[in-house]
Structure formats: structure tokens, C-alpha cells
Amino acid sequence: MRSALRPMPEELERFLSEGKGRGLRARRNFHVGDLIFTCPAYTHVLTVNERGNHCEYCFARKEGLAKCGRCKLAFYCNISCQKTDWPMHKLECASMCKFGQNWNPSETVRLTARILVQQKLQTEITPSEELLSLNEFESNLDQLDNEKRELIESDIAALHHFYSKHFDFPDRDTLVQLFAKVNCNGFTIEDEELSHLGSAIFPSVALMNHSCCPNVIVTYKGTCAEVRAVKEINAGEEIFTSYIDLLYPTEDRQDRLKDSYFFICDCRECATKAKDEEKLEIRKHGEIPKPHDIKDMIKYSRNAIEEFRRANELLEVCELSLDKMGAVFDDNNVYVLHMMYQAMGVCLYMQDWEGALRYGQKIVRPYSKHYPPYSLNVASMWLKLGRLDMGLENHSAGRRSLRKALAIMEVVHGKEHPYVAEIKKELEGK
């Protein structure tokens, strides 16, 4: 029986979108905040860093989770969640015991192993494939470069190494295609502060095409994806989501789309580049930087972002990079904001709450300008600031920030979402 919470398919229509292939369009009007459709995960996997904080099966966040009696590494709400998850958890339970600290398959490998199990268990179309089936996913194999192919071969080797006890594996070509499909169509599940919780496959959600001017947003309730309108949508209009972080200027967004999804966006934002000038704002004091200096600094900023991911002295790298960028870029420039965000993350890791708060206060208002309305990135930043201020006994400022986060989250998550309820409790001091 179809869930009463999921809009009937008559409200949506799969169609051929000109220049984009398959797409999804509305068959009635939707208003800002309307739930357009929901999609349970075809399969999902909790990231190892969140074990003990979230239920392995339903991703519920609570204290007092019960651990698996054998591996002692998977945690569940109750016996019901544990039993339901067993067909998936048994893939890893004995293997984790056997390999111990050497058990380290990537999240992509773990998710792909679960897809293989699900394909054997589920011979009919699942509720998650109401609009698009997993078998219809594009693999884009012909567009993979050598580096991406080598990564897939490495993942296949890890799949055989850690999961061979449970499978008669498909042939190599089938596995290559499956990994390529997962890389292009997998979703990252995040919490209200955009911390990584795990990965999942949502076939029906993958039907939506990309736009840098999206009219919907995808959020998560446990392991269920929810798609809500963030703009007014009229009957007959295509439904667009965003595949990437929209903070960056057009050239960066196009590079990210080409690298991960193998297409170039032709939306209004990309055609006009309307926000690029303010996103790449230069300093207004002293001598105006020359065009080649700006170009060189953009190149430096991109390299600095990559270097940060490999660095050990993270805060020092951030501060040195910010000093150098400051010679050309204004504080509102998106590359400066990106490095401030990394610095804020390092401060949070080091429990330097005042330092994190200072960086966050510099970030949040430019974020509000650069991101679309009802952005998860803006909401999560207000939420972090609110919680930091409340923890530092700055209650008035903390409540202001929490209210700003709540105003966005009630639209993108819905007023009944557990995250919304948690923030309301924080505002009430409970």
C-alpha cells in the first residue's frame, strides 16, 4: 500500500527534458515549503565515524543505543532495527571481527556491496524506484578518465577482499558499470549542521535534473529523502535540484559538474554569470589588483583548498592562505569564505569555541548573499553560531541565530521534522 505521506504520482510526471534527457515535472502548482515527494533509500550505509551516535538501520540519533553482540561496532535503537538490518549488517559483522583495525573498505565499496545484496533480495521494483529504477542509472563509462577507472578497479579489489565470503560476484564489467553508476548517482546524507552521516541510493530522487537555480531542495529524515519546493512551481514546470555546492562562481561550478557528472549547466545563473562579480569581490583599499593578479589568486586559492585537505598543521595553513588571499580578495570573496569555513572547522575540532564563533560571524552574512534563499548551508551556519553562543552563555545572540536557522529549516525540512523540534527545545531552554 502506498504511504499516505507520499504525494500520488499523478502530481508528478516523468518526461523527456530538452537537452537534458529524462526529467521530472510538476502536474500541479506547488508553493514554497510544500513536500513534493518522499523517497525511502534503496539501500544506505552509516559512516563509521557516527557509529554509536546513530542507529545503523534507521539513522536515529539517540543515547543508549544497543550494540551488536558479535562485532560490538554496530548500534541499534532496538531489536527490531537490528533484525531488519541483519541482511546488510551480516556483510560486515564477521569481516570486521576477522580484519579488526585492518577493516577499511571505502563507503562507496560498502554501499555497492549492499546494492548487490538488495538486488538479490528484491526482485521487483522497490518503493524507492517509483519514478526511476536503479537499472536505468547512467554510468557515463565512456567519459571516465584513467584516474577514475583506476579508483573503480581499486574499489572492486576491496570489494573482493572484504566481502568475498558473501558473494558470487558479477563479472568485472558489470561491477565496473555498477561502481560508475554509484559514483554518479549516490547521495550523501547529512545532519542539520551538514555533518556527514552516511551514503545512500535514492533512485527516484536521481531522476531530477540539475540547475544552479534550483526550485526544490533535498533533505533527509532518517534514511528517507524528502523533496520540498523552495520556489513557487507551476504545473508543467520542470523540477530542478542542485547537484553541487552553489557558493562558487560559474567557472568553478561548471568544472565540478564536468568532473563528477559529465555535463555543462546551461541554467540562467550560468548563462548570465550574474553573481560572479560579487562572489569574486576584490579588496577596495589601496591599488586595484590587475586582471592577471586576480586570475593568479583564483588559481592559488583553488590549490590552497586542495592543499588544506592534505595538510597536518591545518589552522596554520588556513591562516597563511587567508593572509595571502587578503592581498587581493575582499572578505566576502567565496574563496576567502571557503578558507574561513575550514578554519572554523579546525577550531571546532580543537574545541576553540571563541575562535570558531569569530570565523562563523564573518561567514554567515556573505553566505546569505551568495546562496539562494532557503539554503541548507546558511541554515547550518546560523545553527552553529546559535549553539556556539548558547554554549558560551551569550543567550540573546544565540537565540537570534537559532531563530534564523529555524526560519529556513521549517521550509526545507518541514515543521514536523525532528531537527526542527530539537531547535525549538533549545530555544525554550529544555
Side-chain angles (χ1 to χ4, degrees):
M1 180 178 295
R2 188 184 307 281
S3 169
L5 295 178
R6 189 181 306 151
M8 300 295 283
E10 287 78 7
E11 298 184 349
L12 304 169
E13 180 181 30
R14 174 173 162 166
F15 77 116
L16 287 177
S17 177
E18 185 177 356
K20 295 180 170 62
R22 297 181 301 243
L24 185 66
R25 66 184 170 196
R27 298 190 68 180
R28 72 164 176 87
N29 296 343
F30 290 97
H31 303 293
V32 172
D34 281 354
L35 178 64
I36 294 178
F37 73 98
T38 66
C39 181
Y42 179 87
T43 192
H44 60 273
V45 59
L46 182 73
T47 187
V48 294
N49 292 331
E50 290 298 330
R51 283 182 161 159
N53 299 320
H54 291 78
C55 173
E56 196 89 11
Y57 174 66
C58 71
F59 279 27
R61 178 174 61 197
K62 58 174 68 174
E63 296 180 359
L65 294 169
K67 67 176 66 174
C68 170
R70 186 174 185 184
C71 69
K72 308 290 195 298
L73 292 172
F75 293 76
Y76 296 96
C77 296
N78 49 46
I79 194 67
S80 175
C81 282
Q82 185 171 9
K83 284 184 175 180
T84 309
D85 193 51
W86 176 244
M88 297 300 169
H89 178 56
K90 73 178 181 181
L91 288 170
E92 301 181 345
C93 188
S95 182
M96 286 190 292
C97 293
K98 175 183 176 182
F99 287 97
Q101 293 184 345
N102 294 321
W103 187 87
N104 58 358
S106 70
E107 210 160 289
T108 300
V109 170
R110 296 176 64 207
L111 186 63
T112 304
R114 292 173 182 232
I115 291 172
L116 291 168
V117 171
Q118 184 73 308
Q119 287 177 326
K120 290 184 177 180
L121 293 176
Q122 200 81 36
T123 56
E124 298 180 353
I125 293 295
T126 67
S128 66
E129 299 172 286
E130 190 171 37
L131 300 169
L132 182 74
S133 72
L134 186 142
N135 290 332
E136 294 179 282
F137 280 1
E138 295 285 348
S139 65
N140 296 297
L141 274 178
D142 58 331
Q143 302 194 62
L144 299 185
D145 58 25
N146 289 336
E147 183 179 359
K148 287 184 171 61
R149 288 181 178 275
E150 287 172 5
L151 286 173
I152 287 177
E153 293 294 345
S154 176
D155 281 341
I156 290 174
L159 183 71
H160 282 277
H161 181 63
F162 291 109
Y163 294 90
S164 58
K165 178 181 177 181
H166 300 280
F167 288 116
D168 293 322
F169 288 105
D171 60 76
R172 176 191 164 279
D173 288 346
T174 301
L175 286 176
V176 168
Q177 189 171 74
L178 180 57
F179 272 104
K181 287 181 176 182
V182 171
N183 288 336
C184 280
N185 296 279
F187 287 80
T188 296
I189 298 179
E190 296 171 322
D191 68 10
E192 75 275 31
E193 292 191 6
L194 300 190
S195 296
H196 180 73
L197 296 183
S199 300
I201 296 293
F202 298 102
S204 289
V205 181
L207 176 61
M208 294 185 293
N209 285 314
H210 165 86
S211 172
C212 298
C213 310
N215 52 17
V216 302
I217 198 164
V218 182
T219 56
Y220 304 97
K221 184 179 287 185
T223 60
C224 182
E226 299 186 331
V227 179
R228 281 187 167 79
V230 291
K231 293 181 179 178
E232 298 292 320
I233 303 173
N234 296 322
E237 288 185 354
E238 182 165 1
I239 294 171
F240 289 107
T241 186
S242 174
Y243 296 176
I244 57 170
D245 189 336
L246 295 176
L247 176 65
Y248 300 93
T250 304
E251 184 180 352
D252 266 30
R253 296 198 309 274
Q254 297 287 15
D255 286 346
R256 291 167 194 235
L257 288 169
K258 284 188 288 186
D259 182 62
S260 298
Y261 302 103
F262 311 103
F263 70 85
I264 294 175
C265 181
D266 60 358
C267 73
R268 183 183 70 254
E269 183 66 36
C270 290
T272 63
K273 301 183 180 180
K275 292 186 176 181
D276 281 7
E277 184 175 353
E278 63 181 23
K279 287 185 175 185
L280 294 171
E281 191 169 354
I282 60 173
R283 61 177 174 79
K284 294 182 175 63
H285 54 276
E287 185 180 349
I288 297 175
K290 295 178 174 59
H292 67 83
D293 291 329
I294 296 172
K295 187 175 181 179
D296 288 346
M297 186 53 68
I298 290 174
K299 183 178 179 180
Y300 165 80
S301 301
R302 288 181 173 183
N303 290 336
I305 289 168
E306 287 301 315
E307 180 184 346
F308 172 83
R309 297 189 178 108
R310 299 186 295 270
N312 292 320
E313 300 296 331
L314 298 179
L315 191 57
E316 182 180 352
V317 169
C318 290
E319 291 172 346
L320 289 172
S321 297
L322 286 168
D323 284 344
K324 186 164 185 177
M325 290 179 194
V328 174
F329 290 158
D330 184 83
D331 281 355
N332 293 331
N333 184 289
V334 296
Y335 295 112
V336 174
L337 293 173
H338 178 101
M339 197 54 67
M340 286 184 183
Y341 183 83
Q342 302 303 328
M344 182 182 182
V346 176
C347 289
L348 289 171
Y349 179 77
M350 296 169 60
Q351 298 186 7
D352 175 6
W353 311 128
E354 290 88 354
L357 184 63
R358 284 194 299 273
Y359 279 116
Q361 288 169 338
K362 293 179 180 179
I363 293 169
V364 69
R365 297 198 183 281
Y367 262 29
S368 301
K369 180 172 66 172
H370 294 323
Y371 277 111
Y374 306 113
S375 165
L376 290 172
N377 300 79
V378 177
S380 71
M381 186 54 64
W382 281 121
L383 184 57
K384 288 174 182 175
L385 290 178
R387 288 173 170 172
L388 283 167
D389 267 322
M390 295 295 276
L392 292 168
E393 305 296 326
N394 305 323
H395 294 128
S396 179
R399 289 191 181 92
R400 281 198 301 272
S401 294
L402 289 177
R403 290 190 190 99
K404 289 180 181 292
L406 187 63
I408 299 172
M409 292 176 67
E410 285 186 329
V411 172
V412 298
H413 288 88
K415 294 184 178 181
E416 307 303 319
H417 197 285
Y419 292 158
V420 170
E422 286 181 15
I423 297 170
K424 288 180 177 178
K425 286 183 179 179
E426 291 174 54
L427 283 166
E428 294 167 359
K430 295 181 180 179

